[in-house]
Amino acid sequence: MGPAERPAVAVVVGSANDLKRLDEARAVFDWFGLVYEVHVASAHRAPRRVLDLAEDAQRRGVRVLIAGAGKAAALPGVLAAATTVPVIGVPFSSPDLGGLDALLSAVQMPRGVPVATVAIDGVANAAILAAEICGLGDPRVARRLVEFKARLAEGEDVMALVRGEGAEP
Ligand code: RP5
């Protein structure tokens, strides 16, 4: 794998049952041309694997981590504890408390260990924020972001746009 194909974004979810929640994020990554990878690792069931993933991502030059988890969502915080790569947290909804449990777990980080938490099930915004972080060092992504903003201002729907259903400018 050459540098061009090296993943800029690593997505980690807490359960294989969470993988189906990533469709919108995948569409966003594809539209921005972001190379990404997806891992399943639970902070509670496999904490050592989560720590290894965090350290490995840093070593391989991953620019941003996205961590999605439901219930008592420790995953974003544990990843953030083990790396200086920025972590975006996505609290996933679940039937019991509707995702408020995961939202509070992800967002209420202690001072010194930030997690940039998006809305409950906000995988599209997590991916767009990841593009914005990557765009700081990648002119090709930065140009795509300018186009993206312009098309939103013209009234295009975000998901229709990234799925190629929107009108071409
Ligand atoms: C979290 O607990 C996962 O992120 C998932 O959203 C939730 C339930 O996990 P499963 O019991 O479906 O594996 O760790």
Side-chain angles (χ1 to χ4, degrees):
M1 185 181 284
E5 292 91 40
R6 197 181 295 157
V9 184
V11 181
V12 188
V13 292
S15 168
N17 296 323
D18 295 329
L19 290 171
K20 58 183 178 297
R21 305 174 190 258
L22 297 179
D23 288 356
E24 290 190 352
R26 291 180 191 279
V28 170
F29 292 141
D30 289 346
W31 194 83
F32 281 99
L34 282 173
V35 180
Y36 67 96
E37 61 189 19
V38 178
H39 304 272
V40 177
S42 163
H44 294 120
R45 296 162 177 152
R48 287 188 183 82
R49 174 162 160 69
V50 171
L51 295 175
D52 286 347
L53 278 171
E55 289 165 9
D56 190 52
Q58 178 127 21
R59 204 163 33 240
R60 290 184 297 117
V62 168
R63 308 302 292 265
V64 53
L65 284 154
I66 294 178
K71 302 193 173 186
L75 181 62
V78 171
L79 283 167
T83 179
T84 60
V85 176
V87 177
I88 300 172
V90 189
F92 287 149
S93 57
S94 58
D96 335 295
L97 296 174
L100 190 57
D101 41 3
L103 172 64
L104 296 178
S105 299
V107 81
Q108 286 288 59
M109 288 297 294
R111 186 180 291 118
V113 189
V115 168
T117 303
V118 296
I120 295 169
D121 294 329
V123 293
N125 267 3
I128 295 163
L129 182 55
E132 291 179 343
I133 292 169
C134 294
L136 294 171
D138 184 336
R140 192 183 44 83
V141 176
R143 281 194 296 276
R144 203 66 165 144
L145 281 160
V146 171
E147 179 190 345
F148 180 76
K149 288 282 189 198
R151 290 176 66 172
L152 289 197
E154 286 163 9
E156 286 199 55
D157 174 78
V158 171
M159 291 318 301
L161 190 168
V162 299
R163 287 186 169 134
E165 297 154 8
E168 288 299 315

